[in-house]
Amino acid sequence: MTRPLHIGLLGAMPEEIGSDLSHLRQLTSTDHGDLTLHQGVWGDGVRLTLAWSGWGKVSAARAATRLLAAAPDLDLLLFSGVAGAADAALQQWDVVLADAVIQHDMNASPLFPRFTLPPLNRDRLQPDPDWLAWASRSLNAAQEAGELKGFGTVRPGLIATGDQFISDAVVLKELKAALPDLQAVEMEGGAVAQVAQQEGVPWLVLRVISDGADEAAAQSFSDFLQVYEQQAWSLIEALLKRLSTR
Ligand code: SAH
């Protein structure tokens, strides 16, 4: 018999994973300073380790590192949260599954080209293709089955991460000029992906659009978050219940 899968879940804020702890059995938790790691069992035996990292790349990298250390047999590290839209076609509640992430504030030029991560000597990080295809299939199937009420379209795309809440159309335009296929901006995904990649663990980043990364972003973001908290778990569950189809 194969051993049960072990999935790591990270969000920046509790609202982003939603009322998740109530869905777990055999719940235990450990504190590491101000970070709490929760471990438990979901469904027919999937093991979960999860935490809320706080905003920004350092907090995200620290939480990812702690999570991986506490779960050496992890099969997948999934970051789920909200993001600003970087493509005019995206609306609030649309879902972007990262087919690549980039750190938009990484710039070690002239030693490395803009965006290149020195330790990896590349700018874009891509998730494992099998996990990505599975997640994409699963989310589409969940949507067809009516399990993702309230969510918009689900699409793969490039997500950019940086230590900046982007609420300025000019800043966004400059980023889009440098990264024409950019779909969404946020503050943690690229950091988690880098840690996972360097540690040799598969990762995925899933983001729901909360705002347009423009002047109205802060207000849209706050209003959105309250409603989103009720819905966030359905996105995670849509994936967890399809793990056996991988
Ligand atoms: N200061 C804002 C919220 C900060 S954004 C306010 O309260 O009004 C914080 C989180 O949302 C981060 O975890 C980030 O990953 C995500 N996020 C959502 N929209 C974003 C945007 N437009 N730019 C960057 N990050 C965004």
Side-chain angles (χ1 to χ4, degrees):
M1 206 184 97
T2 52
R3 71 172 174 82
L5 287 176
H6 191 168
I7 308 294
L9 280 178
L10 281 174
M13 306 166 267
E15 293 91 335
E16 289 176 312
I17 302 185
S19 51
D20 45 9
L21 295 182
S22 63
H23 299 276
L24 304 191
R25 306 186 304 277
Q26 300 167 36
L27 202 58
T28 57
S29 65
T30 48
D31 291 331
H32 306 271
D34 64 359
L35 180 78
T36 305
L37 289 180
H38 303 276
Q39 296 199 294
V41 174
W42 180 89
D44 55 5
V46 178
R47 291 157 61 220
L48 292 181
T49 299
L50 64 97
W52 299 291
S53 63
W55 296 347
K57 295 199 302 179
V58 173
S59 295
R62 176 263 194 139
T65 306
R66 274 289 183 195
L67 195 154
L68 293 179
D73 61 349
L74 207 72
D75 294 291
L76 172 73
L77 181 56
L78 169 67
F79 193 102
S80 171
V82 298
D87 183 313
L90 282 169
Q91 317 239 335
Q92 234 178 13
W93 290 103
D94 283 344
V95 180
V96 180
L97 175 64
D99 62 11
V101 294
I102 195 162
Q103 291 176 36
H104 68 71
D105 54 359
M106 173 55 75
N107 193 345
S109 60
L111 302 173
F112 291 89
R114 185 181 178 192
F115 305 130
T116 295
L117 303 169
L120 295 170
N121 200 17
R122 51 199 286 211
D123 52 9
R124 296 176 184 224
L125 301 181
Q126 270 114 11
D128 173 81
D130 291 342
W131 277 110
L132 178 66
W134 163 81
S136 185
R137 258 192 339 263
S138 299
L139 292 170
N140 287 325
Q143 210 171 34
E144 273 168 35
E147 292 167 32
L148 298 181
K149 290 205 175 51
F151 290 95
T153 61
V154 180
R155 60 154 99 161
L158 175 66
I159 295 181
T161 303
D163 280 324
Q164 198 179 0
F165 180 71
I166 297 187
S167 57
D168 182 336
V170 176
V171 174
L172 187 62
K173 201 167 161 216
E174 193 281 326
L175 253 188
K176 281 287 283 182
L179 302 167
D181 56 336
L182 184 62
Q183 299 295 306
V185 288
E186 41 87 314
M187 301 174 68
E188 298 86 15
V192 170
Q194 184 183 341
V195 170
Q197 187 110 351
Q198 289 187 281
E199 296 279 324
V201 175
W203 57 270
L204 290 171
V205 173
L206 185 61
R207 291 282 181 174
V208 179
I209 300 301
S210 56
D211 59 83
D214 55 9
E215 284 67 13
Q219 188 53 44
S220 323
F221 174 88
S222 306
D223 297 346
F224 177 87
L225 204 59
Q226 288 174 19
V227 189
Y228 182 62
E229 184 172 8
Q230 321 296 319
Q231 306 276 86
W233 180 254
S234 63
L235 211 51
I236 311 260
E237 197 168 53
L239 291 172
L240 294 181
K241 69 196 277 191
R242 290 177 173 81
L243 276 170
S244 60
T245 67
R246 203 170 52 93

